[in-house]
Amino acid sequence: MKHASPASENGGESFCRGTVIEEGFPVPELQVVLRDPDDPKAVCRVDYLYRLHDGRLIAIEYDGMRKYVDPSMTGNREIREVVRDEREREALLKRAGVTAIIRLDYTEVLQRMPLVRKLMAAGIPRLFRH
């Protein structure tokens, strides 16, 4: 795939990023680390980040269901614990200045229009139509 990058953590992220680009959106920053201003030691990384001209930060997370149910990814924690940790992570992102978090999954990327609608609703400029 011509839009693949070694910064992507997996093939799904490369697929998502390539689809975003092919649908006419700007190339997002990859694997951006953000710090919690209340605790500079607390950091998290987003799959993709857009820094818009109006100062907004839009994070895009490509999510698979495995992160909620695969014991190798959950550390054998229950789903409610994984979801709680995800909520805490989102709160950290908001404190770090992220104004919107867009979650995309494989089906939305494959179908394309759900991806396009979410990015447009968040104000990501579309440079051209696919």
Side-chain angles (χ1 to χ4, degrees):
M1 174 180 234
K2 70 181 181 179
H3 300 299
S5 168
S8 291
E9 290 187 337
N10 57 56
E13 286 184 11
S14 289
F15 172 58
C16 181
R17 179 174 173 269
T19 304
V20 165
I21 295 166
E22 288 174 358
E23 285 297 330
F25 296 97
V27 177
E29 294 178 58
L30 297 177
Q31 303 301 327
V32 177
V33 175
L34 298 168
R35 294 192 180 283
D36 184 339
D38 297 338
D39 179 5
K41 293 179 183 177
V43 298
C44 67
R45 188 177 37 165
V46 296
D47 295 334
Y48 319 105
L49 185 72
Y50 283 106
R51 299 174 198 268
L52 300 185
H53 294 295
D54 61 7
R56 291 182 300 135
L57 299 178
I58 310 295
I60 300 176
E61 294 285 288
Y62 177 79
D63 293 332
M65 287 307 297
R66 282 187 57 211
K67 77 184 236 179
Y68 297 103
V69 298
D70 183 340
S72 70
M73 295 183 78
T74 66
N76 291 315
R77 294 174 298 149
E78 293 184 20
I79 290 176
R80 71 173 158 247
E81 293 174 281
V82 175
V83 170
R84 183 200 64 228
D85 290 349
E86 194 64 30
R87 286 184 186 136
E88 289 175 8
R89 182 176 178 277
E90 286 187 6
L92 184 156
L93 291 174
K94 297 286 186 174
R95 288 190 303 274
V98 171
T99 50
I101 301 166
I102 300 170
R103 296 201 168 278
L104 295 168
D105 63 29
Y106 176 78
T107 301
E108 291 171 316
V109 175
L110 185 64
Q111 292 176 352
R112 292 183 177 245
M113 283 314 296
L115 173 150
V116 168
R117 282 193 292 275
K118 284 184 175 186
L119 270 61
M120 292 183 74
I124 308 296
R126 195 171 188 190
L127 306 175
F128 62 87
R129 294 181 68 99
H130 177 69

